[in-house]
């Protein structure tokens, strides 16, 4: 018994340190588990911004309408609601953003089906949103970008899009290179 008492007496600070480390690890693990549990409820979406061309037998060759579209893929476990004003361009070194209302919210284009907003995207599903006709975006983007001055091409190549969900979560997205090239082609000096 004396050997036991002596052993614990000579290593008492070591055992206290091990107890403190075990307590700290228990707190860290419980915080991580709480964070992971909460992270399940955060919307997870993937965004693809690209050009889409309508091809149909009634459209003469070379006159196919071209649209800027946004594909939103819900990767999460819960539905995601997309509001009416969900799409915006953000230009580097420029305050604010440029909101573009989707073309598919209105009647008027014969190739686009009108949809009602907000749009609910169920888990593991994709929705495609028609944002603008190519010609309209080209003319509007001249006003949107304006005179950028120095570093014009660098700023245009770093334009990114922001998507806002109904619950206010903001997702930044890179724009497809073909869209960037056509935007930069409109603003060469």
């Amino acid at each position: 018994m004396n050997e036991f008492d002596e052993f614990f007496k000579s290593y008492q600070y070591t055992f206290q340190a091990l107890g403190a480390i075990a307590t700290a690890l228990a707190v860290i693990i419980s915080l991580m588990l709480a964070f992971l549990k909460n992270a399940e409820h955060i919307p997870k979406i993937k965004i693809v911004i690209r050009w889409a061309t309508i091809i149909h037998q009634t459209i003469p060759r070379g006159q196919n309408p071209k649209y800027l579209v946004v594909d939103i893929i819900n990767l999460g476990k819960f539905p995601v609601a997309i509001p009416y004003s969900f799409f915006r361009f953000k230009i580097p070194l420029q305050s604010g953003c440029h909101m573009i209302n989707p073309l598919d919210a209105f009647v008027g284009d014969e190739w686009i089906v009108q949809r009602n907003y907000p749009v609910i995207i169920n888990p593991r599903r994709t929705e495609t949103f028609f944002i603008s006709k190519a010609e309209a975006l080209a003319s509007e983007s001249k006003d949107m970008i304006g005179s950028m001055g120095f570093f014009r091409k660098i700023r245009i190549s770093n334009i990114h899009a922001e998507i806002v969900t109904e619950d206010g979560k903001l997702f930044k997205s890179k724009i497809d290179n073909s869209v960037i090239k056509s935007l930069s082609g409109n603003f060469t000096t």
Side-chain angles (χ1 to χ4, degrees):
M1 220 39 188
N2 283 341
E3 292 172 3
F4 254 159
D5 290 339
E6 262 184 59
F7 177 78
F8 284 114
K9 194 180 252 186
S10 31
Y11 293 105
Q12 69 179 340
Y13 297 115
T14 304
F15 289 119
Q16 287 176 354
L18 287 174
I21 290 171
T23 303
L25 284 174
V27 168
I28 290 170
I29 289 172
S30 67
L31 287 174
M32 285 176 48
L33 289 174
F35 174 76
L36 291 175
K37 179 83 171 143
N38 191 29
E40 289 179 357
H41 300 290
I42 296 173
K44 295 176 185 89
I45 61 175
K46 180 180 176 186
I47 304 159
V48 178
I49 300 168
R50 60 184 175 81
W51 290 119
T53 304
I54 305 292
I55 299 172
H56 192 267
Q57 62 188 7
T58 61
I59 301 173
R61 283 192 187 178
Q63 296 179 9
N64 303 72
K66 189 175 181 181
Y67 299 94
L68 180 68
V69 298
V70 176
D71 296 322
I72 300 179
I73 306 149
N74 184 357
L75 301 172
K77 295 182 179 179
F78 299 98
V80 174
I82 304 298
Y84 168 68
S85 297
F86 70 93
F87 184 79
R88 2 177 140 163
F89 276 123
K90 179 71 177 114
I91 300 170
L93 304 175
Q94 195 176 68
S95 62
C97 60
H98 301 278
M99 191 173 298
I100 301 177
N101 292 327
L103 189 62
D104 59 9
F106 308 102
V107 177
D109 195 298
E110 63 181 311
W111 299 108
I112 299 176
V113 177
Q114 183 184 9
R115 67 169 71 215
N116 296 319
Y117 285 86
V119 175
I120 306 297
I121 305 174
N122 289 319
R124 307 288 179 216
R125 297 284 183 245
T126 302
E127 287 288 335
T128 300
F129 298 89
F130 288 82
I131 302 300
S132 176
K133 281 189 169 185
E135 304 84 31
L137 184 64
S139 66
E140 290 296 321
S141 55
K142 287 182 183 178
D143 295 334
M144 179 177 72
I145 293 175
S147 61
M148 294 180 130
F150 201 60
F151 299 121
R152 171 183 275 181
K153 285 189 178 186
I154 294 171
R155 290 176 67 194
I156 290 171
S157 66
N158 288 306
I159 290 175
H160 67 271
E162 297 175 341
I163 306 294
V164 181
T165 59
E166 185 79 16
D167 59 355
K169 300 285 185 206
L170 183 71
F171 295 89
K172 292 185 179 182
S173 174
K174 196 82 170 126
I175 302 169
D176 186 68
N177 285 335
S178 64
V179 177
I180 295 293
K181 282 181 184 175
S182 62
L183 284 177
S184 62
N186 289 325
F187 307 111
T188 53
T189 53

